Amino acid sequence: MVSDELDRGLEGATVAETRLSRIDGETGDLVVAGFPVEALATEATYEESVFLLLYDRLPTAEELAAFRSDLAARRGIGDEVRAVLRRAAEAGEPPMDALRMGAAAATLDAPDADDATADPDDATADPDAPAEGPVDDAAAADHAAARRAIAAFPTVVATYWRYRRGEEPVAPREDLGHAANYLRMLTGDEPTDAAVRGLETYLNTVIDHGLNASTFAARVVTSTESDLVSAATAAVGVLKGPLHGGAPGPVLDDLREVHRSGDPEGFVRAKLDAGERLMGFGHRVYRVRDPRAAVLEAAAERFYGADGDADFFETAREYESVAVDLLAERKPDRRLDTNVEFYTAALLHGVGVPRDLFTTTFAVSRVGGWMAHCQEQRENNRLIRPTSRYVGAEGRTWTPVEER
Ligand code: ACO
């Protein structure tokens, strides 16, 4: 059925079924594989969230231990990938471009995770696999590629970052969890429990969010029966765009400015008088406060209370309250409330993720959602191929080049 109606942004067009997440923009509900985001964010480890998305259930303790060590064994990158990242850092390539290059190159030297879960013929490699008989080769390769991408993203980002700072990369440590290892590879220091918990909450909170632009891109790539690394690389390119993943850096700049001046109201009024948008507010889908804002606010409050600059966190709260009030005053007909990026900035800054890596850290989480969506697309695939309306010229007559 071909519709004649033009739908530039595909808003409201439903093009996939998913069991991964459900968003209600009117009530502000986000459910991830059956769990309210509030529960998943605070209860799960990132590895549990990934397992949940990939296999649609929580792992047993034994399965979780095997899954964790499988991911940990896939973290390493080799000399060739490091050389690409060193070159990207020296050339001043932005972090998301370095991630795109590194993620693509990391297929060259994917280590074989040699424990039981990496063995595609072992039933524990895929909890849904039959107890006997080989798992389908293509499906096993897909699962391995998904786990490799999820495991390697933090190493790629941290390696690039260390080179950019003129430092040697920190090798991944297999005994650490996903979040703790990422922080350690970034800073070289053993992270505190509060920082690990704060980062883990963030990673769980943003792991999946319906058919957002990067996830859609990953599904389009998969729908052509292409591979998961190509899908992940395309998704990184989409997430790089400032309309998708770029707001938390500027939010942090605003927070620092307000913290310095101590005058949130003057700051907000000046921005709005200049016709600028307030970063961290407004959302395409939510007509209420983004539920992820509350989760991250609570996580930031816990972190700053335990291990950070509590005064900075109070500035964030005060700024938010002033901003929401003034936005309501200026736009009485359009509810503009806090979005996920606002407390992302405060939380990631607090736990020690550098401002320039906010978007790449978003990718470190979201790659779990991308990979699960790709697998879901595979399960019930149909080539995603919308139509366009031709508005170009008609009836032209060809003129040979020498006569033009
Ligand atoms: N500050 C000030 N005014 C705003 C803001 C804002 N943050 N957001 C929307 N408005 C205004 C617009 O200027 C517009 O006013 P107008 O009708 O006078 O032109 C009106 O509200 C409606 O705006 P739209 O662009 O239609 O809102 P839309 O739903 O398309 O945009 C978006 C959503 C892009 C997130 C927008 O709110 C925005 O730019 N926010 C700031 C950037 C930001 O925080 N982005 C991260 C979003 S979360 C995420 O993507 C993961």
Side-chain angles (χ1 to χ4, degrees), residues 219 222-225 376-383:
R219 287 189 83 129
T222 311
S223 84
T224 70
E225 297 187 359
E376 199 172 48
Q377 182 69 31
R378 284 255 200 272
E379 285 160 19
N380 191 11
N381 189 43
R382 179 159 176 83
L383 176 68

Side-chain angles (χ1 to χ4, degrees), residues 47-391:
E47 288 91 332
E48 279 175 298
S49 295
V50 171
F51 189 103
L52 173 68
L53 291 190
L54 291 180
Y55 303 114
D56 199 27
R57 64 180 175 80
L58 291 177
T60 63
E62 204 178 43
E63 285 169 337
L64 180 59
F67 189 66
R68 273 182 67 136
S69 56
D70 178 70
L71 281 184
R74 293 177 196 273
R75 284 178 185 152
I77 56 174
D79 292 345
E80 293 87 350
V81 183
R82 273 195 291 276
V84 167
L85 295 170
R86 183 196 284 271
R87 183 80 191 87
E90 287 168 357
E93 296 285 351
M96 285 297 277
D97 289 326
L99 175 58
R100 171 175 47 74
M101 294 178 224
T107 40
L108 289 175
D109 56 6
D112 283 331
D114 55 7
D115 66 333
T117 55
D119 178 3
D121 286 337
D122 189 306
T124 57
D126 174 356
D128 293 333
E132 283 180 27
V135 182
D136 170 60
D137 279 355
D142 253 7
H143 276 285
R147 292 193 291 244
R148 167 62 173 163
I150 292 162
F153 265 42
T155 316
V156 168
V157 173
T159 301
Y160 157 82
W161 183 247
R162 301 284 299 181
Y163 283 136
R164 215 179 92 171
R165 305 258 318 210
E167 294 164 337
E168 277 306 302
V170 176
R173 245 184 46 200
E174 291 195 20
D175 60 312
L176 293 177
H178 198 79
N181 177 60
Y182 178 43
L183 278 178
R184 187 177 167 276
M185 288 192 300
L186 284 178
T187 64
D189 300 325
E190 204 76 29
T192 64
D193 288 348
V196 173
R197 200 51 229 157
L199 178 63
E200 192 130 54
T201 302
Y202 170 74
L203 296 177
N204 291 334
T205 302
V206 302
I207 191 169
D208 198 55
H209 201 240
L211 205 56
N212 60 87
S214 56
T215 300
F216 181 56
R219 287 189 83 129
V220 171
V221 172
T222 311
S223 84
T224 70
E225 297 187 359
S226 183
D227 66 289
L228 265 57
V229 176
S230 299
T233 314
V236 168
V238 175
L239 187 62
K240 179 189 169 192
L243 292 187
H244 192 357
V251 170
L252 182 63
D253 300 339
D254 293 349
L255 283 177
R256 282 174 160 157
E257 174 60 26
V258 170
H259 192 52
R260 196 193 53 75
S261 73
D263 180 16
E265 183 169 343
F267 179 88
V268 172
R269 285 195 188 280
K271 281 245 172 200
L272 295 180
D273 288 348
E276 287 180 39
R277 290 187 175 203
L278 289 185
M279 303 311 279
F281 300 90
H283 197 275
R284 177 52 67 80
V285 178
Y286 292 115
R287 290 293 162 261
V288 292
R289 196 175 190 240
D290 185 328
R292 298 167 298 175
V295 172
L296 298 179
E297 178 190 11
E301 184 173 21
R302 274 193 301 276
F303 174 80
Y304 281 96
D307 215 358
D309 178 355
D311 198 44
F312 185 75
F313 177 68
E314 277 317 311
T315 296
R317 271 204 164 143
E318 200 188 333
Y319 173 42
E320 182 196 13
S321 144
V322 169
V324 169
D325 286 351
L326 289 181
L327 283 169
E329 196 181 292
R330 299 279 172 118
K331 300 264 171 236
D333 304 329
R334 170 80 162 83
R335 175 102 188 252
L336 293 170
D337 215 322
T338 319
N339 67 43
V340 64
E341 310 289 30
F342 187 77
Y343 284 104
T344 290
L347 181 60
L348 290 186
H349 171 64
V351 304
V353 175
R355 177 202 181 282
D356 287 356
L357 295 187
F358 284 178
T359 309
T360 38
T361 302
F362 187 176
V364 161
S365 162
R366 186 56 66 82
V367 65
W370 293 335
M371 294 297 94
H373 272 274
C374 291
Q375 295 196 353
E376 199 172 48
Q377 182 69 31
R378 284 255 200 272
E379 285 160 19
N380 191 11
N381 189 43
R382 179 159 176 83
L383 176 68
I384 299 174
R385 203 300 188 193
T387 52
S388 52
R389 181 187 299 162
Y390 180 65
V391 294

